[in-house]
Amino acid sequence: MAAAAVMALAPGVADARGWDTVHRFVHKTGKCGSGKEVLASLYSIGTRTSSGEPMNRDALTAASHEYPLGTTVVVTNPANGRSCSIRVNDRGPFGKPRDLGVKIDFTTGAARCLGMRETQYVCLPGEEPIEIAGVPLVIDGNTVEIRGTKIRLRGIDAPETDQLCVDEKGTGWTCGLAARDELVKRFGEKPWTCQVAGHDKHGRSLGSCAVNAESVEEWMVRSGWAMALVGSARVYEASEVIARDAQSGMWSGAFIAPSDWRHRTRQTTIVGAANVPSSALDILRGPASVADAPSPECVIKGSIGKGGRCTYQQPGSHLYAKLKMGPDNRWFCSVKEAETAGCRAVKK
């Protein structure tokens, strides 16, 4: 019976029934101390990794959404005490293992180093803050990349690059692009210092960033280009009140909160200006809000499927013209932006 369970959990041959029973046979050890204990498995599929490197099954590498590509982490097998330095060069896991909580996939070489034969819990380093400094590449209003690390600005929520707002006359405008461009204008060519700890569901590092001691996040909220993130400590709530009272940025008209924009319906709450023409409701809530690209530079089509899985298509791809943009779609301005949002290219 035990042997059958091991076979059912072996990556590559696990069926849905086997993965559904993983937590009956695999349990935490409580031996990771100040580190974090996560579920891990093995993988060997594909010929090229997300970093662009060829897949080398004997290398000490792993696939994970928890770390920036290129990060080397010291992993410990609590079952035998072995520790190995393993480099993350691929994204994963996907599908059923990810749904059931698997956080990292090891190549055969990494698993051999750890003395790991099947799915089990391993110890990863704790979330100690690290400092990352440099001039950023601004991807959107709350995402930048510094020295190869994608950083999601902590505690704020800026509009997506394809998000529309309306002005006091009820005319739609591309507030998502404006938020990105205002961030670039204010801080884009200056060196940033970010305190980074933890990751979001797309593998982006979570960071609080400053330029010459000025908080980037606080400026974005106070200028009306982002909102204090719901569910966080709301340390920028007072800055949001300042922006709202001054009718700065998005608050100059009406808009949908960025967190609601991603899942909007005909009943979604609209915030900002109290009196806007009724036509503004269709601009913000209706299908026309995503039917056309918000800008000639933002023509990559993203599609959100079952389970939140996202794929993207560039102009010229074989299915691009057939994909009609609707509520479960969004536009991206670059491949980097699409991949940062957790989307993968549609296979040709």
Side-chain angles (χ1 to χ4, degrees):
M1 183 68 177
V6 169
M7 289 297 294
L9 297 176
V13 298
D15 58 20
R17 182 178 58 187
W19 278 110
D20 281 336
T21 61
V22 63
H23 294 296
R24 290 175 53 193
F25 301 99
V26 182
H27 307 284
K28 286 187 175 181
T29 66
K31 297 180 179 179
C32 290
S34 61
K36 56 182 181 180
E37 190 166 4
V38 304
L39 193 60
S41 63
L42 287 66
Y43 87 122
S44 61
I45 61 174
T47 58
R48 187 163 296 275
T49 64
S50 297
S51 66
E53 301 174 18
M55 174 64 168
N56 181 351
R57 292 162 180 77
D58 294 319
L60 299 184
T61 57
S64 177
H65 296 288
E66 303 291 300
Y67 298 95
L69 294 175
T71 302
T72 297
V73 293
V74 177
V75 183
T76 300
N77 183 347
N80 56 26
R82 291 189 191 178
S83 294
C84 302
S85 294
I86 297 173
R87 185 166 55 88
V88 176
N89 71 343
D90 205 358
R91 287 300 179 216
F94 295 99
K96 196 69 173 180
R98 183 177 181 179
D99 293 341
L100 292 173
V102 178
K103 297 296 185 182
I104 191 166
D105 281 337
F106 297 115
T107 58
T108 304
R112 187 184 304 120
C113 179
L114 291 166
M116 173 179 162
R117 297 174 57 190
E118 64 266 336
T119 299
Q120 67 166 78
Y121 280 91
V122 299
C123 302
L124 297 180
E127 299 290 4
E128 295 297 325
I130 61 173
E131 183 175 290
I132 297 177
V135 177
L137 169 66
V138 175
I139 298 174
D140 59 34
N142 48 215
T143 310
V144 300
E145 182 176 309
I146 300 177
R147 293 167 53 191
T149 298
K150 294 182 178 66
I151 301 172
R152 203 316 187 158
L153 301 181
R154 188 189 296 275
I156 71 172
D157 205 13
E160 305 283 8
T161 52
D162 64 344
Q163 182 165 343
L164 300 179
C165 297
V166 295
D167 61 21
E168 67 280 2
K169 297 180 181 180
T171 303
W173 60 288
T174 53
C175 54
L177 290 176
R180 180 200 64 184
D181 294 345
E182 291 297 324
L183 179 58
V184 171
K185 188 185 302 182
R186 177 72 174 186
F187 297 119
E189 297 182 357
K190 301 175 182 178
W192 292 26
T193 301
C194 300
Q195 301 299 321
V196 174
H199 303 84
D200 70 2
K201 64 181 181 180
H202 301 310
R204 297 175 294 186
S205 298
L206 296 173
S208 298
C209 301
V211 177
N212 295 327
E214 181 178 9
S215 167
V216 174
E217 296 83 21
E218 194 277 335
W219 182 86
M220 285 291 287
V221 176
R222 177 166 43 84
S223 301
W225 298 116
M227 299 181 71
L229 187 63
V230 175
S232 71
R234 292 188 67 84
V235 294
Y236 305 113
E237 190 170 32
S239 300
E240 184 176 299
V241 172
I242 292 172
R244 184 174 68 238
D245 291 346
Q247 297 185 342
S248 301
M250 296 184 293
W251 296 100
S252 62
F255 62 97
I256 291 174
S259 58
D260 292 334
W261 172 266
R262 301 172 194 125
H263 311 287
R264 62 196 179 281
T265 68
R266 288 285 186 179
Q267 287 73 46
T268 299
T269 300
I270 293 175
V271 296
N275 298 313
V276 294
S278 58
S279 59
L281 302 182
D282 287 333
I283 292 175
L284 294 175
R285 293 172 173 163
S289 60
V290 291
D292 299 314
S295 165
E297 68 171 298
C298 305
V299 294
I300 296 175
K301 293 181 177 181
S303 179
I304 313 299
K306 293 182 178 179
R309 296 180 179 85
C310 179
T311 58
Y312 69 88
Q313 299 182 49
Q314 299 185 68
S317 65
H318 68 299
L319 294 175
Y320 183 86
K322 295 181 180 180
L323 178 58
K324 303 303 180 183
M325 301 298 282
D328 293 326
N329 308 115
R330 60 165 301 195
W331 296 93
F332 294 106
C333 304
S334 68
V335 169
K336 185 177 290 290
E337 182 192 358
E339 293 180 345
T340 298
C343 300
R344 310 188 83 187
V346 172
K347 295 182 179 180
K348 297 182 177 180

